[in-house]
Amino acid sequence: MPALSPTMEEGNIVKWLKKEGEAVNAGDALCEIETDKAVVTMESNDDGVLAKILVEEGSKNVRLGSLIALLVEEGKDWKQVDVPSVKVSPTAVPTATQITDVPAPKPVAPAVKLGLRMSPAARHIIDTHGLDTSSITPTGHRGIITKEDALKFLAQKKAPGEKPIPATPTPPPEKIPTSPPAASPAPVSGRPSFPPVSIPGKPHTEGMFSEIPASNIRKVIAKRLTESKSSIPHAYATTDCDLGAVLQLRKELAKDNIKVSVNDFIIKATAAALKQMPNVNVTWNGEEATPLESIDISIAVATDRGLITPIIKQAASKGIQEIAASAKVLAQKARDGKLLPEEYQGGSFSISNLGMFGITGFSAVINPPQSCILAVGRSRVELALTEGEEGNPQLCQKQVMNVTLSSDSRLVDDELASKFLECFRKNLENPLHCALV
């Protein structure tokens, strides 16, 4: 299993594109692997014949460096290839050092009977001392094993000269009574003593729940967002932007069959602001700021597998129509899971737009090591006073959009963030001027 992204620790085998015994040339696609970012095609580095597939399609959490297939030279009998004796597990594959020096297995605590309920403190005591839950008498509400129950059983077990209470022995099969056992009395509340867990292949019943496994992408998103909020000092600044000039320019471009969105103008205005204020176009390397020469804008795209941020490279040097075309292609590739690693790795500034979902305004979480992320809400109509003829004020309608800048205070202080937002607002409200920056 190769490392197909910098943050990848394990991958899922989505589909094998070659069959056993099929000839393979260098550069041919072998299989599709779901990384922590997208579904990436793994290519062969050598010529040969695919002799053996060791990890089948659908295998999940395959660790980096584990053996997934065998390739032999052309002309050799691929059917007689020797398969390594080390079994490859899709969930945990030992590395070379672990194979030669395997630690002694730790004693496993007795399994907890399904449906048995216990308090967190009781569970900790039982797991720590390896107690058998079948010998503990629960006294808690609705059959819950309490902390006192676990401590009482532990004291009996450790008492000198006193043996723990043995479990009631099961009678031989011939002595088991044929009459059906009496049904357990229903709880006073009318609710079951524990929620039933769903079993694959069996129909659901009332009150049943299922556990949905998280994909690699969502695991990485959760990890990175937690690290970002816990380690980066977030600061927030909000402003409103008048979209009158942008909406009017869109109408003019539509007459020439040029279709661009408001989000495309936002990307262009952001890139122009970063070019005007290079102090914001920086990243954090762990100790200090690192200035960036290229202005690469990451745009947040929601997919079925989670949020991913493809990058529009050199956004400051691109026109609005070129930005629109790039954003459309990248968004579709992100939804299809076909982004290449270079199309989502890096970036100097992120934009997250939830206006199309009806969100008025929100605060986004910074995507490290970037310094800022711009959260864009939906536009709204407001009444405002403007100067009319002969200086008389007139009441008119304005299309206003709310934006919030989340900035890393170690890199962008409040004053710099305020100046950047003001520069962005001017660029967006004057799109023709923005195109000349």
Side-chain angles (χ1 to χ4, degrees):
M1 176 64 68
L4 300 176
S5 74
T7 57
M8 178 180 173
E9 297 180 355
E10 55 189 23
N12 302 336
I13 304 295
V14 178
K15 182 180 181 181
W16 280 100
L17 305 177
K18 294 288 184 180
K19 298 180 180 179
E20 293 182 358
E22 192 171 349
V24 177
N25 296 321
D28 286 355
L30 287 178
C31 65
E32 293 181 349
I33 298 176
E34 182 187 3
T35 70
D36 55 347
K37 295 290 186 180
V39 177
V40 182
T41 301
M42 174 185 169
E43 298 178 351
S44 174
N45 296 326
D46 301 305
D47 298 336
V49 177
L50 183 59
K52 186 67 176 177
I53 295 176
L54 300 178
V55 181
E56 300 296 332
E57 292 183 3
S59 299
K60 298 182 180 296
N61 304 327
V62 183
R63 299 293 299 178
L64 293 183
S66 60
L67 197 61
I68 61 175
L70 295 177
L71 196 70
V72 299
E73 297 179 0
E74 294 183 3
K76 288 189 176 182
D77 189 358
W78 60 272
K79 295 182 180 179
Q80 300 299 325
V81 65
D82 293 330
V83 180
S85 58
V86 179
K87 294 183 179 180
V88 180
S89 172
T91 55
V93 179
T95 61
T97 55
Q98 291 173 332
I99 293 173
T100 57
D101 185 16
V102 180
K106 296 182 179 180
V108 181
V112 178
K113 186 170 60 176
L114 287 177
L116 194 62
R117 304 185 66 196
M118 60 187 71
S119 67
R123 182 179 296 276
H124 176 72
I125 296 172
I126 291 171
D127 293 343
T128 302
H129 298 277
L131 303 180
D132 185 4
T133 55
S134 62
S135 302
I136 302 178
T137 303
T139 61
H141 180 59
R142 292 166 54 192
I144 296 178
I145 297 178
T146 64
K147 175 183 176 182
E148 290 72 18
D149 298 335
L151 290 175
K152 181 179 179 181
F153 180 77
L154 181 62
Q156 292 177 353
K157 186 177 180 181
K158 291 185 176 181
E162 186 175 348
K163 297 181 180 180
I165 302 173
T168 304
T170 305
E174 62 273 8
K175 295 184 179 180
I176 296 179
T178 56
S179 58
S184 57
V188 179
S189 60
R191 299 170 57 189
S193 59
F194 59 88
V197 183
S198 64
I199 301 176
K202 292 188 177 182
H204 285 245
T205 60
E206 185 178 357
M208 183 176 290
F209 72 94
S210 300
E211 293 183 351
I212 303 175
S215 64
N216 287 349
I217 295 177
R218 292 193 181 277
K219 289 179 182 177
V220 172
I221 290 173
K223 180 180 179 181
R224 288 177 62 84
L225 289 180
T226 303
E227 291 176 352
S228 176
K229 287 294 289 183
S230 60
S231 63
I232 297 179
H234 283 59
Y236 307 98
T238 303
T239 190
D240 288 333
C241 303
D242 187 356
L243 294 180
V246 168
L247 298 178
Q248 181 62 33
L249 182 56
R250 284 189 68 204
K251 291 181 181 179
E252 297 296 329
L253 294 175
K255 294 179 182 179
D256 297 329
N257 201 26
I258 300 176
K259 297 181 180 180
V260 293
S261 66
V262 175
N263 198 57
D264 300 326
F265 284 98
I266 295 172
I267 296 172
K268 180 60 180 178
T270 302
L274 289 173
K275 186 177 180 180
Q276 294 168 300
M277 301 183 64
N279 291 342
V280 182
N281 193 40
V282 295
T283 58
W284 180 257
N285 64 7
E287 296 181 357
E288 57 186 3
T290 301
L292 302 176
E293 297 180 359
S294 176
I295 297 176
D296 302 327
I297 305 298
S298 303
I299 54 174
V301 177
T303 69
D304 295 337
R305 292 174 296 276
L307 192 70
I308 192 167
T309 52
I311 301 170
I312 299 179
K313 303 289 183 68
Q314 303 289 346
S317 60
K318 292 183 177 179
I320 189 68
Q321 192 173 1
E322 189 176 1
I323 289 177
S326 299
K328 185 177 181 180
V329 171
L330 289 172
Q332 188 59 46
K333 291 180 71 174
R335 296 187 185 98
D336 295 339
K338 300 297 183 181
L339 284 174
L340 299 176
E342 58 268 20
E343 291 177 326
Y344 59 79
Q345 294 175 6
S348 57
F349 192 101
S350 292
I351 297 176
S352 180
N353 190 343
L354 296 182
M356 66 285 293
F357 299 108
I359 303 301
T360 303
F362 68 104
S363 300
V365 181
I366 297 173
N367 184 19
Q370 297 177 7
S371 62
C372 299
I373 182 171
L374 188 68
V376 182
R378 69 176 179 88
S379 61
R380 64 188 187 277
V381 177
E382 286 188 355
L383 295 177
L385 289 174
T386 59
E387 290 187 6
E389 297 179 359
E390 300 179 357
N392 296 324
Q394 293 183 348
L395 194 63
C396 66
Q397 289 185 349
K398 281 187 176 183
Q399 199 79 13
V400 180
M401 180 185 69
N402 176 273
V403 295
T404 300
L405 180 69
S406 303
S407 56
D408 186 344
S409 295
R410 300 170 299 183
L411 300 171
V412 180
D413 57 23
D414 292 342
E415 181 182 2
L416 185 59
S418 301
K419 291 181 179 179
F420 176 83
L421 265 186
E422 179 66 15
C423 182
F424 165 81
R425 185 183 62 80
K426 290 181 178 180
N427 290 336
L428 189 62
E429 293 180 352
N430 300 276
L432 293 178
H433 170 74
C434 174
L436 302 175
V437 175

